[in-house]
Amino acid sequence: MKVEGFIASLRNAETIGELFKILDEKGPLVELDGQRFLIVVEGDFEGRPFWTEINGEKANQALGDAMLNSSSFPFKCKRPYTGGNVIFVNFDDIEVERFLVAYRDPDYGVFYLVENGEAKEITKKEYEDLKAEMSEFKIKSMSEEQMEVMGAFFG
């Protein structure tokens, strides 16, 4: 599958339930253009926020500076006032073998345990129970040299 095809599939969602169904069908690990990615989404569906959690923490906080190394694409769904960003985190940059991923909104969630490169759907209770066992989520971020170049660029 290509990145554009994945984003197009998200655009087809007419309800937040359909958006979660699409994410559930794809899973949190997707191969696009021959490369594996962790899929992170965040946004708003007709006033109802949705987000991704990693080990119980909102993904943008769990990823930190590594978000700068990831590709982000905005998307809009078929309904007015809906859309967000999908962030493709290169799976090779993830430095832990085991972590949790959840796609959430205030009332609903789809939960996964990722172990040894494979994602398995789990229940909300399993997710809540496993959060305490997870080690810190680590991902390669920019090197010191890359940060200096960015600093010089944004100076």
Short mmCIF file of all heavy atoms in Angstrom, two decimals, residues 40-71:
data_model
loop_
_atom_site.label_atom_id
_atom_site.label_comp_id
_atom_site.label_asym_id
_atom_site.label_seq_id
_atom_site.Cartn_x
_atom_site.Cartn_y
_atom_site.Cartn_z
N VAL A 40 0.20 6.84 14.01
CA VAL A 40 -0.31 7.69 15.09
C VAL A 40 -1.31 8.66 14.46
O VAL A 40 -1.01 9.26 13.43
CB VAL A 40 0.86 8.47 15.74
CG1 VAL A 40 0.35 9.50 16.73
CG2 VAL A 40 1.84 7.51 16.39
N VAL A 41 -2.49 8.76 15.07
CA VAL A 41 -3.48 9.73 14.58
C VAL A 41 -3.92 10.61 15.74
O VAL A 41 -3.92 10.20 16.89
CB VAL A 41 -4.73 9.05 13.95
CG1 VAL A 41 -4.36 8.32 12.68
CG2 VAL A 41 -5.43 8.15 14.93
N GLU A 42 -4.29 11.82 15.39
CA GLU A 42 -4.87 12.74 16.36
C GLU A 42 -5.71 13.73 15.59
O GLU A 42 -5.43 14.03 14.43
CB GLU A 42 -3.78 13.45 17.16
CG GLU A 42 -2.79 14.22 16.31
CD GLU A 42 -1.60 14.76 17.08
OE1 GLU A 42 -1.42 14.36 18.24
OE2 GLU A 42 -0.87 15.57 16.51
N GLY A 43 -6.78 14.19 16.22
CA GLY A 43 -7.63 15.15 15.53
C GLY A 43 -8.95 15.33 16.23
O GLY A 43 -9.07 15.12 17.44
N ASP A 44 -9.95 15.71 15.43
CA ASP A 44 -11.24 16.08 15.95
C ASP A 44 -12.31 15.61 14.98
O ASP A 44 -12.19 15.84 13.77
CB ASP A 44 -11.27 17.61 16.08
CG ASP A 44 -12.45 18.11 16.84
OD1 ASP A 44 -13.53 18.19 16.23
OD2 ASP A 44 -12.30 18.42 18.03
N PHE A 45 -13.32 14.94 15.48
CA PHE A 45 -14.41 14.46 14.63
C PHE A 45 -15.70 15.12 15.11
O PHE A 45 -16.26 14.74 16.13
CB PHE A 45 -14.53 12.93 14.71
CG PHE A 45 -15.09 12.32 13.47
CD1 PHE A 45 -14.28 11.67 12.57
CD2 PHE A 45 -16.44 12.41 13.19
CE1 PHE A 45 -14.78 11.12 11.41
CE2 PHE A 45 -16.96 11.87 12.04
CZ PHE A 45 -16.13 11.22 11.14
N GLU A 46 -16.11 16.15 14.38
CA GLU A 46 -17.31 16.93 14.72
C GLU A 46 -17.32 17.34 16.20
O GLU A 46 -18.29 17.17 16.92
CB GLU A 46 -18.58 16.15 14.36
CG GLU A 46 -18.71 15.92 12.88
CD GLU A 46 -19.99 15.19 12.48
OE1 GLU A 46 -20.45 14.33 13.24
OE2 GLU A 46 -20.50 15.52 11.40
N GLY A 47 -16.20 17.86 16.66
CA GLY A 47 -16.08 18.35 18.02
C GLY A 47 -15.64 17.31 19.04
O GLY A 47 -15.47 17.61 20.21
N ARG A 48 -15.46 16.07 18.60
CA ARG A 48 -15.06 14.99 19.50
C ARG A 48 -13.59 14.65 19.22
O ARG A 48 -13.26 14.12 18.16
CB ARG A 48 -15.95 13.79 19.20
CG ARG A 48 -15.87 12.68 20.19
CD ARG A 48 -16.99 11.72 19.87
NE ARG A 48 -16.84 10.48 20.60
CZ ARG A 48 -17.66 9.47 20.48
NH1 ARG A 48 -18.68 9.54 19.65
NH2 ARG A 48 -17.47 8.39 21.16
N PRO A 49 -12.71 14.94 20.17
CA PRO A 49 -11.28 14.68 19.92
C PRO A 49 -10.97 13.18 19.87
O PRO A 49 -11.65 12.37 20.51
CB PRO A 49 -10.58 15.34 21.10
CG PRO A 49 -11.61 15.40 22.18
CD PRO A 49 -12.95 15.48 21.50
N PHE A 50 -9.97 12.82 19.09
CA PHE A 50 -9.43 11.45 19.10
C PHE A 50 -7.92 11.57 19.09
O PHE A 50 -7.36 12.56 18.65
CB PHE A 50 -9.96 10.61 17.93
CG PHE A 50 -9.65 11.16 16.56
CD1 PHE A 50 -8.47 10.83 15.90
CD2 PHE A 50 -10.54 12.01 15.92
CE1 PHE A 50 -8.19 11.33 14.65
CE2 PHE A 50 -10.27 12.51 14.66
CZ PHE A 50 -9.10 12.17 14.02
N TRP A 51 -7.26 10.54 19.63
CA TRP A 51 -5.81 10.59 19.77
C TRP A 51 -5.25 9.18 19.87
O TRP A 51 -5.98 8.22 20.02
CB TRP A 51 -5.42 11.42 21.00
CG TRP A 51 -5.89 10.84 22.29
CD1 TRP A 51 -5.22 9.95 23.09
CD2 TRP A 51 -7.15 11.06 22.94
NE1 TRP A 51 -5.98 9.62 24.19
CE2 TRP A 51 -7.18 10.29 24.11
CE3 TRP A 51 -8.27 11.83 22.63
CZ2 TRP A 51 -8.25 10.27 24.99
CZ3 TRP A 51 -9.35 11.82 23.50
CH2 TRP A 51 -9.33 11.05 24.66
N THR A 52 -3.94 9.10 19.82
CA THR A 52 -3.22 7.83 19.98
C THR A 52 -2.45 7.89 21.29
O THR A 52 -1.86 8.93 21.61
CB THR A 52 -2.24 7.60 18.81
OG1 THR A 52 -2.97 7.64 17.59
CG2 THR A 52 -1.53 6.27 18.94
N GLU A 53 -2.48 6.78 22.01
CA GLU A 53 -1.67 6.66 23.22
C GLU A 53 -0.61 5.58 23.01
O GLU A 53 -0.87 4.59 22.32
CB GLU A 53 -2.53 6.23 24.43
CG GLU A 53 -3.47 7.29 24.91
CD GLU A 53 -4.33 6.83 26.08
OE1 GLU A 53 -4.16 5.68 26.55
OE2 GLU A 53 -5.17 7.61 26.52
N ILE A 54 0.54 5.80 23.60
CA ILE A 54 1.60 4.78 23.63
C ILE A 54 1.93 4.56 25.10
O ILE A 54 2.28 5.51 25.81
CB ILE A 54 2.85 5.24 22.85
CG1 ILE A 54 2.49 5.47 21.38
CG2 ILE A 54 3.98 4.22 22.99
CD1 ILE A 54 3.57 6.05 20.53
N ASN A 55 1.75 3.32 25.55
CA ASN A 55 1.96 2.97 26.96
C ASN A 55 1.17 3.87 27.91
O ASN A 55 1.63 4.23 28.98
CB ASN A 55 3.45 2.99 27.32
CG ASN A 55 4.21 1.87 26.65
OD1 ASN A 55 3.64 0.92 26.15
ND2 ASN A 55 5.53 2.00 26.64
N GLY A 56 -0.04 4.26 27.49
CA GLY A 56 -0.91 5.06 28.34
C GLY A 56 -0.68 6.55 28.30
O GLY A 56 -1.38 7.30 28.97
N GLU A 57 0.27 7.00 27.52
CA GLU A 57 0.60 8.42 27.43
C GLU A 57 0.25 8.90 26.02
O GLU A 57 0.45 8.18 25.05
CB GLU A 57 2.10 8.57 27.69
CG GLU A 57 2.57 9.96 27.87
CD GLU A 57 4.06 10.01 28.23
OE1 GLU A 57 4.78 9.00 28.11
OE2 GLU A 57 4.50 11.09 28.64
N LYS A 58 -0.27 10.12 25.91
CA LYS A 58 -0.58 10.63 24.57
C LYS A 58 0.68 10.56 23.70
O LYS A 58 1.78 10.87 24.16
CB LYS A 58 -1.11 12.06 24.63
CG LYS A 58 -2.56 12.09 25.07
CD LYS A 58 -3.24 13.37 24.72
CE LYS A 58 -4.72 13.26 25.06
NZ LYS A 58 -5.44 14.48 24.81
N ALA A 59 0.49 10.13 22.47
CA ALA A 59 1.63 9.84 21.58
C ALA A 59 2.56 11.03 21.39
O ALA A 59 3.77 10.85 21.36
CB ALA A 59 1.14 9.33 20.24
N ASN A 60 2.01 12.23 21.28
CA ASN A 60 2.90 13.38 21.04
C ASN A 60 3.86 13.58 22.20
O ASN A 60 4.98 14.02 22.02
CB ASN A 60 2.12 14.65 20.72
CG ASN A 60 1.13 15.04 21.79
OD1 ASN A 60 0.91 14.32 22.77
ND2 ASN A 60 0.50 16.18 21.61
N GLN A 61 3.46 13.20 23.42
CA GLN A 61 4.37 13.29 24.57
C GLN A 61 5.32 12.10 24.59
O GLN A 61 6.50 12.24 24.89
CB GLN A 61 3.57 13.37 25.86
CG GLN A 61 2.79 14.66 25.96
CD GLN A 61 1.70 14.62 27.00
OE1 GLN A 61 1.19 13.56 27.35
NE2 GLN A 61 1.33 15.78 27.50
N ALA A 62 4.81 10.91 24.27
CA ALA A 62 5.65 9.71 24.28
C ALA A 62 6.73 9.78 23.21
O ALA A 62 7.84 9.31 23.40
CB ALA A 62 4.78 8.46 24.07
N LEU A 63 6.40 10.38 22.07
CA LEU A 63 7.36 10.46 20.97
C LEU A 63 8.33 11.61 21.14
O LEU A 63 9.48 11.53 20.70
CB LEU A 63 6.62 10.60 19.63
CG LEU A 63 5.79 9.40 19.20
CD1 LEU A 63 4.97 9.74 17.97
CD2 LEU A 63 6.65 8.19 18.94
N GLY A 64 7.91 12.69 21.74
CA GLY A 64 8.77 13.84 21.99
C GLY A 64 9.44 14.36 20.72
O GLY A 64 8.80 14.56 19.69
N ASP A 65 10.76 14.57 20.80
CA ASP A 65 11.52 15.12 19.67
C ASP A 65 11.49 14.22 18.45
O ASP A 65 11.72 14.68 17.34
CB ASP A 65 12.98 15.36 20.07
CG ASP A 65 13.14 16.50 21.05
OD1 ASP A 65 12.21 17.32 21.14
OD2 ASP A 65 14.19 16.56 21.71
N ALA A 66 11.23 12.93 18.64
CA ALA A 66 11.21 12.01 17.51
C ALA A 66 10.09 12.37 16.54
O ALA A 66 10.13 11.99 15.36
CB ALA A 66 11.04 10.58 17.99
N MET A 67 9.10 13.14 17.00
CA MET A 67 8.02 13.59 16.11
C MET A 67 8.62 14.39 14.95
O MET A 67 8.08 14.37 13.85
CB MET A 67 7.02 14.46 16.85
CG MET A 67 6.20 13.73 17.88
SD MET A 67 4.75 12.93 17.25
CE MET A 67 3.67 14.30 16.99
N LEU A 68 9.73 15.06 15.20
CA LEU A 68 10.37 15.86 14.15
C LEU A 68 10.93 14.99 13.04
O LEU A 68 11.06 15.43 11.91
CB LEU A 68 11.49 16.73 14.75
CG LEU A 68 11.07 17.74 15.82
CD1 LEU A 68 12.30 18.35 16.47
CD2 LEU A 68 10.17 18.80 15.23
N ASN A 69 11.28 13.74 13.36
CA ASN A 69 11.82 12.80 12.37
C ASN A 69 10.72 12.07 11.62
O ASN A 69 11.00 11.35 10.68
CB ASN A 69 12.70 11.76 13.05
CG ASN A 69 14.14 12.18 13.15
OD1 ASN A 69 14.50 13.27 12.71
ND2 ASN A 69 14.96 11.33 13.73
N SER A 70 9.48 12.20 12.06
CA SER A 70 8.38 11.44 11.48
C SER A 70 7.68 12.25 10.41
O SER A 70 7.74 13.48 10.40
CB SER A 70 7.39 11.07 12.59
OG SER A 70 8.06 10.39 13.62
N SER A 71 7.00 11.55 9.50
CA SER A 71 6.23 12.20 8.45
C SER A 71 4.81 12.40 8.95
O SER A 71 4.20 11.48 9.48
CB SER A 71 6.19 11.34 7.20
OG SER A 71 7.49 11.05 6.77
#
